[in-house]
């Protein structure tokens, strides 16, 4: 081998750089371990929130301290934190979300809240079309507008986009074709603004290594915050539009008469809606407790408004307040529904005609801790629902403390216009109340002592925390989002589950490596030892590259690394088998080694096999998202490093040993005669194989047609929660209990241990509003409460370290994005098959080879899908069809092709050498000669995958099960399907010619 010195120098330098990059991860880990020890020592109640606060306090205190001193350079914790390897959500915990900026809201704003009937009908039609279309909302709106208007009204109409705000760009003479690009430009500008506003908020949030990206022109923004623990805080920060308003309010005395009248009307309505429903009994003592001793006028034996809402009755001047009522958080949706009914609104007196009821921004537990109670306010709105003062007058906002220095609040300063408006508003309401409203939640509604001059004011609340005050200041300073941002796809992993995933991943990784190292030593002896050194260098290079380029390591990413380890072993196996063949044919050791590593020897097959897998990895990376991208990235990096280490590092070590005239062996005493001089007549058995495969595939197709496939939430939409309990749980019993709160029974399945369940529901998945997620989560808690012991709702929520019961992780996918995910997945599968077909056609120059390879791939995919359909009701782990399953299918495609290409390469070689042999003999001999390599590689890959499957954690078990089936079926199909079909097609081609 030429240039040995250069290769040795490159390997040494690359290894040192990799160790240097990985050292930052090691030292950062030491500091974070010390923070955990400090938090455990300081914490009093041991709650996850308290531990997280103390950990952050420790890390903030040592942030600028020097941790590493290299003599020529020093690094603080903050420095090395930016350089350490990024861990994905499944390993570190945190939140990954896709936000859909509401293009509908932007269009309404651009039209200046148009009342044009065609415009509004087109919006509604676009809403409906979006649920089953992958096109952008704007294109759907344009199509519906053209259809509904039928040429009678144009987009440039003064009542639509030809208004004052757009008069410099759109006049009423412009055609629809001329207006569309202008509107597209305005939409893009608004989404750019939303992107910058969100990035500004995230930068101030304090999470290390955040990621924020625009997704094409869809109006979607992908955000990943690994390590985020306060999920509720993150969600509020991301979805807040920062719509700040200052309103006058009605007092409890002014609205209580309406509440009593509304209560009677609601009683009649509820009775007519549910005539046969068993009447609930409302306990007077409970209401009295909530009202702090006030009498309730609710009728005790029937449902009414006061079943859900507890008015704050004013019986004296001292009891007059801006707080008009209270309700349980779980009942807010029902209260909203009842107060919005036409029959109830009709009872409003003329002076309350435009009243708008808004909830407090924060709930508090009631006296016995059995429920969270939230306050209700009555806002003095108007016909146009425009506040006297909007947030655009705010020029600065910051978190400060009150005059006593005890309670946090948000201090705001206004511009000159805002100062005058604020002085007038407070002057007009002296002795009354004014509410500060942010995103339709009331943050404070204090009594006004007199006019406030100077344009300074504050937002404060009795239970406001420092972090809440900081977040409000952050969103106000970052600016208002141009439209609402809805979380259409979110995945949350708690830190407890993340740490468990790290532990299980490294345990399985260590076991897999150990098994491979032992097998290579056992089978190939000294050559196996050299292959093991190359394998260790390969692993170092992979992790070094990931750390150097700030790539994200995920759980599927670790699976990708372990898969490339199998491929690295495969490359060495192919080379060693070629060398053994050379030695068996009488070649000297040096010549056999030279031929084994040559293009005519093993290198051609190795390159072909790696290119087909690389193509699969590229397609996965292009079409995948989140963890799937992580898997594809590590797979592609691993292919490059394994090729280098197997071909160059192993060669360098073997050449060194050969040149020293040391005894070089490529087997052991036990494995010496394994798979030698085989002569299996594979083609004679092909009809039996066709029958067996056909029967299995037919059974799978029947199962898929009758039982179907269990689609995950990423394909069908919905919410799924992984909930851990303190004792083993009965999934059927839990499903029955949750039916009472969800209306329909959710899917409930044991997830790993018997005390852990995966609960999947479509409850309120189509409902609008940022509070819906909280309502569903609250309903879940109420349905499970009797099984949770002393776990409070705050402890139950996802995020923070958990010592007992609670949500370990959850996934929510809106139906509007679920269809897009499914379509992308299908494109990925068909795209990979097309690319592979073309590559094999180009490489082997025969259609029969491409048909055989693609037929085998279809065979493997159908068997894997059929088995998933048959077994998902019986297996004790997750077997849903989603993004991870598609990644597994594409990996199976890559592995199957890897096997097939190596066999085809040998068939082509034998056909060129043994020109006088019958083609049947050529194929059988080629298959027999590669059988040792095929079984050896498949066995090592299966050992690796079994280690991950058994010890790699619950979230990846279904993924690994698909890969294990794929490896077994792929090995079988390369021998008994791909090659026989190629042979039959070749025979037909010859006959036709």
């Amino acid at each position: 081998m030429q240039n040995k010195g250069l290769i040795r120098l490159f390997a040494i330098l690359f290894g040192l750089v990799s160790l240097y990059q990985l050292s930052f991860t090691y030292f950062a880990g030491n500091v974070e371990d010390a923070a955990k020890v400090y938090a455990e020592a300081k914490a009093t109640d041991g709650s996850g929130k308290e531990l997280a606060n103390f950990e952050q306090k420790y890390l903030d205190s040592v942030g600028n301290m020097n941790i590493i001193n290299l003599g020529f350079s020093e690094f603080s914790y903050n420095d090395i934190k930016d350089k350490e390897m990024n861990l994905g959500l499944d390993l570190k915990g945190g939140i990954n979300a896709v936000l859909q900026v509401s293009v509908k809201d932007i269009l309404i704003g651009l039209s200046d809240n148009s009342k044009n009937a065609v415009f509004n009908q087109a919006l509604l039609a676009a809403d409906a079309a979006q649920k089953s279309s992958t096109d952008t909302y704007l294109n759907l709106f344009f199509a519906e507008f053209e259809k509904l208007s039928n040429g009678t009204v144009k987009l440039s109409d003064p009542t639509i986009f030809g208004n004052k705000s757009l008069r410099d760009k759109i006049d009423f003479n412009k055609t629809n074709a001329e207006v569309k690009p202008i509107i597209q430009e305005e939409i893009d500008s608004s989404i750019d603004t939303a992107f910058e506003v969100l990035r500004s908020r995230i930068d101030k949030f304090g999470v290390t290594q955040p990621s924020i990206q625009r997704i094409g022109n869809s109006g979607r923004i992908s955000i990943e915050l690994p390590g985020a623990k306060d999920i509720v805080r993150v969600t509020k920060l991301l979805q807040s539009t920062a719509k700040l308003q200052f309103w006058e309010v009605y007092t409890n005395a002014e609205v209580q008469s309406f509440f009593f009248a509304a209560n009677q009307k609601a009683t009649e309505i509820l009775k007519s809606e549910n005539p046969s429903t068993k009447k609930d009994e409302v306990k007077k003592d409970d209401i009295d407790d909530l009202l702090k001793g006030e009498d309730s006028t609710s009728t005790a034996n029937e449902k009414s408004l006061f079943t859900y809402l507890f008015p704050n009755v004013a019986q004296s001047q001292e009891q007059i307040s801006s707080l008009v009522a209270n309700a349980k958080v779980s009942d807010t949706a029902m209260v909203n529904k009842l107060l919005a009914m036409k029959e109830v609104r009709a009872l409003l007196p003329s002076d309350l005609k435009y009243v708008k009821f808004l909830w407090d921004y924060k709930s508090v537990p009631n006296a016995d801790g059995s429920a969270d109670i939230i306050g209700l306010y009555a806002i003095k709105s108007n016909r146009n629902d425009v506040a006297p003062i909007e947030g655009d007058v705010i020029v600065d906002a910051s978190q400060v403390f009150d005059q006593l220095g005890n309670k946090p609040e948000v201090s705001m300063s206004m511009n000159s216009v805002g100062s005058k408006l604020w002085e007038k508003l407070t002057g007009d309401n002296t002795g009354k109340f004014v509410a500060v409203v942010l995103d339709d939640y009331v943050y404070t509604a204090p009594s006004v002592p007199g006019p406030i001059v100077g344009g300074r004011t504050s937002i404060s609340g009795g239970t406001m925390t420092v972090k809440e005050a900081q977040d409000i200041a952050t969103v106000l300073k970052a600016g208002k989002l141009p439209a609402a941002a809805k979380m259409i796809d979110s995945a949350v992993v708690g830190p407890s589950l993340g740490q468990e995933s790290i532990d299980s991943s490294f345990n399985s990784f260590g076991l897999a490596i150990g098994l491979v190292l032992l097998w290579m030593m056992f089978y190939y002896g000294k050559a196996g030892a050299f292959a093991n050194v190359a394998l260790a260098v390969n692993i170092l290079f992979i992790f070094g590259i990931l750390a150097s380029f700030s790539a994200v390591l995920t759980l599927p990413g670790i699976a990708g690394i372990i898969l490339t380890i199998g491929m690295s072993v495969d490359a060495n196996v192919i080379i060693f088998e070629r060398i053994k063949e050379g030695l068996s044919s009488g070649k000297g050791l040096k010549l056999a080694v030279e031929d084994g590593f040559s293009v005519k020897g093993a290198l051609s097959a190795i390159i072909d096999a790696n290119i087909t897998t690389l193509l699969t990895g590229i397609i996965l990376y292009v079409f995948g998202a989140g963890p799937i991208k992580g898997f594809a990235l590590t797979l592609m990096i691993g292919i490059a490093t394994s090729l280098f280490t197997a071909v160059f590092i192993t060669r360098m070590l073997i050449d060194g040993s050969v040149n020293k005239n040391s005894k070089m062996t490529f087997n052991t005493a036990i494995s010496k005669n394994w798979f030698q001089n085989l002569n299996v007549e594979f083609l004679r058995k092909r009809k039996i194989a066709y029958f067996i495969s056909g029967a299995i595939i037919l059974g799978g197709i029947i199962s898929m047609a009758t039982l179907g496939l269990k689609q995950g939430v990423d394909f069908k939409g919905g919410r799924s929660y992984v909930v851990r309990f303190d004792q083993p749980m009965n999934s059927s019993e839990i499903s029955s209990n949750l039916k009472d709160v969800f209306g329909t029974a959710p899917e409930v399945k044991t997830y790993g241990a018997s005390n852990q369940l995966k609960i999947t529901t479509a409850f309120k998945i189509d409902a609008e509003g940022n509070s819906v997620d909280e309502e569903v989560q609250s309903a879940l808690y109420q349905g499970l409460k009797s099984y949770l012991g002393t776990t409070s709702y705050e402890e139950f929520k996802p995020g923070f370290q958990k010592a007992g019961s609670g949500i370990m992780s959850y996934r929510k996918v809106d139906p509007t994005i679920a269809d897009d995910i499914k379509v992308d997945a299908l494109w990925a599968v068909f795209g990979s098959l097309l690319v592979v077909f073309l590559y094999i056609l180009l490489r082997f120059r025969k259609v029969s080879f491409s048909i055989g390879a693609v037929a085998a791939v279809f065979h493997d995919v159908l068997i894997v899908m059929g088995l998933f359909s048959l077994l998902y009701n019986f297996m004790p782990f997750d077997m849903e069809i989603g993004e991870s399953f598609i990644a597994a299918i594409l990996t199976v495609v890559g592995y199957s092709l890897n096997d097939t290409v190596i066999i085809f390469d040998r068939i082509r070689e034998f056909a060129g050498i043994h020109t006088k042999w019958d083609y049947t003999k050529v194929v059988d001999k080629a298959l027999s000669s590669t059988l040792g390599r095929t079984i050896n590689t498949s066995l090592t890959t299966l050992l690796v995958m079994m280690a991950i499957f058994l010890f790699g954690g619950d979230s990846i078990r279904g993924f690994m099960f698909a890969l294990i089936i794929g490896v077994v079926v792929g090995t079988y199909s390369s021998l008994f399907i791909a090659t026989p079909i190629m042979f039959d097609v070749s025979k037909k081609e010859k006959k036709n010619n």
Side-chain angles (χ1 to χ4, degrees):
M1 182 176 70
Q2 297 178 344
N3 301 318
K4 287 182 187 177
L6 187 62
I7 291 169
R8 186 183 291 110
L9 177 64
F10 175 79
I12 291 170
L13 290 176
F14 201 176
L16 289 173
V17 170
S18 297
L19 287 171
Y20 172 76
Q21 291 293 340
L22 290 171
S23 67
F24 294 116
T25 303
Y26 171 76
F27 287 111
N30 286 345
V31 175
E32 286 157 11
D33 287 342
K36 289 176 183 176
V37 172
Y38 171 83
E40 288 168 3
K42 290 288 185 181
T44 53
D45 61 10
S47 68
K49 193 168 188 176
E50 187 185 31
L51 287 169
N53 288 337
F54 276 118
E55 278 182 40
Q56 192 58 51
K57 183 178 178 182
Y58 178 90
L59 294 175
D60 289 341
S61 68
V62 301
N64 295 316
M65 288 175 58
N66 288 333
I67 305 299
I68 305 175
N69 188 345
L70 299 177
F72 59 87
S73 183
E74 295 180 341
F75 298 93
S76 68
Y77 171 71
N78 289 338
D79 294 331
I80 63 176
K81 190 67 184 169
D82 292 334
K83 296 176 183 290
E84 72 168 343
M85 184 185 295
N86 296 343
L87 297 180
L89 303 188
D90 44 9
L91 293 176
K92 194 174 184 178
I95 181 170
N96 179 17
V98 175
L99 272 70
Q100 175 74 66
V101 178
S102 176
V103 175
K104 178 181 179 178
D105 287 356
I106 299 173
L107 288 171
I108 291 171
L110 291 173
S111 73
D112 202 14
N113 294 299
S114 172
K115 300 296 187 290
N116 184 285
V118 175
F119 172 78
N120 286 289
Q121 286 170 19
L123 290 175
L124 291 173
D127 287 342
Q130 191 179 36
K131 294 179 180 179
S132 57
S133 173
T134 58
D135 205 352
T136 65
Y137 185 90
L138 185 60
N139 287 339
L140 293 173
F141 165 75
F142 285 150
E144 295 296 339
F145 184 87
E146 297 275 10
K147 191 190 303 179
L148 290 165
S149 64
N150 198 23
T152 59
V153 63
K154 295 189 296 183
L155 291 168
S156 59
D157 190 279
T159 62
I160 306 177
F161 296 126
N163 53 50
K164 289 182 180 179
S165 60
L166 291 173
R167 64 186 172 190
D168 294 337
K169 299 179 181 179
I170 299 174
D171 62 65
F172 65 90
N173 291 318
K174 286 189 182 293
T175 63
N176 287 349
E178 292 173 319
V179 172
K180 286 177 182 179
I182 298 171
I183 298 302
Q184 179 69 69
E185 187 178 330
E186 291 294 319
I187 296 289
D188 288 342
S189 176
S190 295
I191 293 168
D192 284 338
T193 301
F195 180 83
E196 293 302 326
V197 168
L198 288 169
R199 184 163 66 179
S200 178
R201 293 181 188 179
I202 289 167
D203 288 343
K204 293 178 175 67
F205 186 70
V207 174
T208 56
Q209 302 161 338
S211 169
I212 176 169
Q213 297 175 329
R214 274 193 66 171
I215 304 176
N217 294 317
S218 61
R220 292 170 182 166
I221 298 171
S222 171
I223 295 171
E224 187 165 315
L225 301 175
K229 296 176 182 177
D230 194 340
I231 304 303
V232 174
R233 182 186 173 205
V234 172
T235 304
K236 284 183 179 178
L237 193 73
L238 294 180
Q239 295 191 113
S240 171
T241 57
K243 186 177 74 174
L244 181 68
Q245 298 172 314
F246 298 84
W247 290 98
E248 297 173 281
V249 298
Y250 295 107
T251 65
N252 53 344
E254 290 174 295
V255 299
Q256 62 190 28
S257 296
F258 162 70
F259 278 153
F260 292 135
N263 183 58
Q264 291 180 355
K265 178 58 70 176
T267 304
E268 296 170 11
I269 295 170
L270 292 172
K271 188 185 293 184
S272 64
E273 285 182 352
N274 304 289
S276 59
T277 303
K278 184 180 176 181
K279 295 174 181 177
D280 292 347
E281 192 170 304
V282 182
K283 296 181 180 178
K284 186 174 182 296
D285 292 343
D286 290 348
I287 298 177
D288 287 345
D289 180 52
L290 285 165
L291 296 175
K292 301 178 182 177
E294 297 301 327
D295 291 335
S296 169
T297 58
S298 255
T299 305
N301 293 322
E302 55 191 0
K303 282 187 177 180
S304 64
L305 174 63
F306 290 169
T307 304
Y308 310 101
L309 184 73
F310 313 111
N312 181 23
V313 180
Q315 295 180 331
S316 65
Q317 188 68 29
E318 290 75 23
Q319 292 180 342
I320 291 177
S321 168
S322 56
L323 180 70
V324 299
N326 291 288
K328 294 179 181 178
V329 171
S330 56
D331 290 337
T332 53
M334 178 57 81
V335 173
N336 291 339
K337 177 184 174 183
L338 292 173
L339 291 178
M341 286 180 172
K342 290 181 180 178
E343 302 92 328
V344 173
R345 295 285 301 184
L347 301 173
L348 288 165
S350 58
D351 57 332
L352 293 175
K353 184 177 180 180
Y354 298 112
V355 66
K356 179 167 67 173
F357 293 103
L358 297 180
W359 296 102
D360 200 309
Y361 82 102
K362 192 175 184 180
S363 61
V364 293
N366 65 357
D368 62 5
S370 61
D372 285 343
I373 305 302
I374 193 166
L376 185 69
Y377 296 85
I379 303 299
K380 282 187 181 180
S381 188
N382 47 58
R383 181 188 295 274
N384 297 319
D385 195 28
V386 176
I389 305 177
E390 299 275 354
D392 53 4
V393 302
I394 302 297
V395 294
D396 192 24
S398 60
Q399 182 267 314
V400 296
F401 289 93
D402 63 11
Q403 293 179 347
L404 299 175
N406 295 326
K407 294 182 178 180
E409 59 184 31
V410 181
S411 175
M412 298 177 292
S413 55
M414 302 178 180
N415 58 23
S416 58
V417 174
S419 298
K420 291 175 183 177
L421 291 172
W422 183 234
E423 184 177 352
K424 183 177 185 307
L425 183 66
T426 51
D428 292 346
N429 286 276
T430 299
K432 300 177 184 177
F433 301 90
V434 171
V436 181
V437 178
L438 182 63
D439 293 335
D440 288 334
Y441 287 97
V442 178
Y443 275 73
T444 184
S447 173
V448 180
I452 299 174
V453 296
R456 294 200 67 84
T457 187
S458 63
I459 301 175
S460 59
T463 59
M464 183 179 289
T465 65
V466 172
K467 284 185 177 179
E468 286 171 342
Q470 289 172 342
D471 289 347
I472 295 168
T474 294
V475 297
L476 291 177
K477 286 179 75 174
K480 185 172 75 170
L481 283 174
K486 182 185 178 185
M487 204 173 280
I488 57 172
D489 185 357
S490 62
V492 173
V493 179
S496 299
L497 202 59
Q499 186 58 51
E500 289 170 12
S501 296
I502 291 175
D503 294 341
S504 60
S505 296
F506 280 99
N507 289 339
S508 63
F509 188 78
L511 178 61
I513 297 297
L515 290 171
V516 170
L517 296 178
L518 287 172
W519 176 256
M520 291 299 288
M521 287 286 289
F522 168 78
Y523 195 86
Y524 289 109
K526 191 173 183 180
F530 289 150
N532 288 344
V533 173
L535 183 60
V537 173
N538 182 27
I539 294 168
L540 175 64
F541 284 178
I542 291 171
F543 281 105
I545 291 170
L546 288 172
S548 299
F549 291 96
S550 299
V552 178
L553 181 65
T554 62
L555 204 54
I558 290 175
I561 292 171
I562 296 175
L563 188 61
T564 59
I565 289 169
M567 294 181 64
S568 178
V569 169
D570 182 40
N572 280 312
V573 167
I574 296 169
I575 293 167
F576 292 167
E577 291 298 322
R578 278 302 183 115
I579 294 172
K580 285 164 69 176
E581 286 176 18
L583 291 171
S584 298
S585 65
K587 292 179 181 178
L589 182 59
K590 280 191 177 182
L591 184 58
V593 169
E594 187 73 33
D595 287 350
F597 280 95
S598 69
V599 174
K600 290 183 178 179
L603 192 57
S604 174
I606 291 169
I607 290 172
D608 282 338
N610 278 274
I611 286 176
T612 53
T613 310
L614 180 65
L615 290 172
T616 302
I618 291 170
I619 290 167
L620 264 176
Y621 190 81
V622 170
F623 288 99
I628 304 308
K629 274 190 183 290
F631 173 79
L633 182 63
T634 55
L635 185 65
M636 291 187 290
I637 292 170
I639 287 168
T641 57
S642 64
L643 192 61
F644 173 79
T645 55
V647 173
F648 294 108
I649 302 296
T650 308
R651 174 75 185 275
M652 188 173 65
L653 294 170
I654 288 176
D655 279 356
S657 178
V658 170
N659 291 335
K660 288 178 183 177
N661 296 317
S662 62
K663 189 177 180 182
M664 186 72 214
T665 62
F666 291 88
N667 50 42
T668 61
I670 299 172
S671 64
K672 187 175 182 180
N673 296 315
W674 289 8
F675 304 113
Q676 298 298 309
N677 303 315
L678 293 174
N679 189 19
V680 181
E681 295 181 331
F682 287 95
L683 293 178
R684 286 186 64 183
K685 301 174 176 63
R686 68 185 188 278
K687 290 184 179 177
I688 298 172
Y690 290 164
F691 175 78
I692 293 170
S693 293
I696 295 172
I697 289 171
L698 182 61
I701 291 172
I702 292 170
S703 176
M704 285 187 278
T706 54
L707 299 176
L709 290 161
K710 186 182 179 184
Q711 295 187 52
V713 293
D714 42 357
F715 272 15
K716 67 181 180 183
R719 295 177 177 85
S720 91
Y721 301 85
V722 174
V723 183
R724 184 171 294 173
F725 300 85
D726 290 329
Q727 70 277 347
M729 302 302 297
N730 183 307
S731 57
S732 300
E733 183 182 334
I734 293 296
S735 180
S736 177
N737 274 17
L738 289 174
K739 184 179 180 181
D740 296 336
V741 292
F742 288 156
T744 57
E747 293 178 18
V748 181
K749 187 171 183 179
T750 301
Y751 191 77
S754 59
N755 69 326
Q756 196 163 264
L757 298 176
K758 184 172 187 179
I759 301 167
T760 304
T761 177
F763 179 58
K764 286 193 174 183
I765 194 60
D766 291 317
E768 298 288 337
N770 293 343
S771 62
V772 176
D773 289 339
E774 180 75 13
E775 290 169 14
V776 176
Q777 198 168 264
S778 177
L780 177 66
Y781 175 73
Q782 293 300 324
L784 298 176
K785 191 173 179 181
S786 58
Y787 302 96
L788 297 172
T790 58
T791 302
S792 68
Y793 180 55
E794 286 300 315
E795 293 168 331
F796 176 75
K797 290 179 181 179
F800 297 117
Q801 198 77 19
K802 295 195 183 299
S805 304
I807 297 173
M808 308 304 290
S809 68
Y810 86 83
R811 177 84 191 269
K812 170 207 167 182
V813 180
D814 193 271
T816 57
I817 196 174
D819 286 336
D820 295 355
I821 294 171
K822 195 184 299 184
V823 169
D824 284 348
L826 291 172
W827 275 114
V829 173
F830 287 113
S832 64
L833 292 175
L834 178 63
V835 167
V836 165
F837 179 89
L838 293 174
Y839 176 77
I840 292 177
L841 182 62
L842 179 70
R843 191 72 179 86
F844 293 97
R845 310 280 178 170
K846 288 186 178 181
V847 174
S848 57
F849 280 70
S850 288
I851 291 172
V854 173
V857 166
F858 269 108
H859 165 275
D860 300 344
V861 170
L862 286 172
I863 288 180
V864 173
M865 292 180 71
L867 286 174
F868 262 62
S869 174
L870 283 165
L871 300 176
Y872 77 76
N873 281 324
F874 308 106
M875 289 296 184
F877 50 84
D878 195 9
M879 292 184 70
E880 291 181 347
I881 306 300
E883 287 178 293
S884 294
F885 178 79
I886 296 300
I889 287 292
L890 289 174
T891 309
V892 168
V893 168
Y895 185 86
S896 178
L897 287 167
N898 189 322
D899 252 5
T900 302
V901 165
I902 288 167
I903 291 171
F904 283 180
D905 197 75
R906 183 59 68 93
I907 292 170
R908 182 178 59 179
E909 180 189 343
F910 272 33
I913 296 171
H914 306 289
T915 53
K916 294 183 179 180
W917 283 7
D918 181 72
Y919 198 52
T920 303
K921 185 177 180 181
V922 168
V923 173
D924 280 338
K925 284 288 186 183
L927 285 168
S928 297
S929 69
T930 58
L931 189 59
R933 171 260 153 203
T934 301
I935 293 175
N936 208 338
T937 299
S938 298
L939 185 60
T940 52
T941 307
L942 279 173
L943 282 172
V944 168
M945 290 180 174
M946 285 301 295
I948 310 170
F949 175 73
L950 294 172
F951 305 104
D954 300 322
S955 61
I956 204 170
R957 200 154 280 151
F959 176 75
M960 293 312 303
F961 184 69
L963 289 184
I964 289 168
I965 297 171
V967 168
V968 174
V969 176
T971 303
Y972 160 81
S973 70
S974 63
L975 295 169
F976 294 101
I977 302 298
T979 308
I981 287 177
M982 178 276 297
F983 175 80
D984 287 337
V985 174
S986 296
K987 277 178 62 180
K988 195 171 183 180
E989 284 178 344
K990 286 181 181 179
K991 190 176 179 180
N992 291 336
N993 292 333

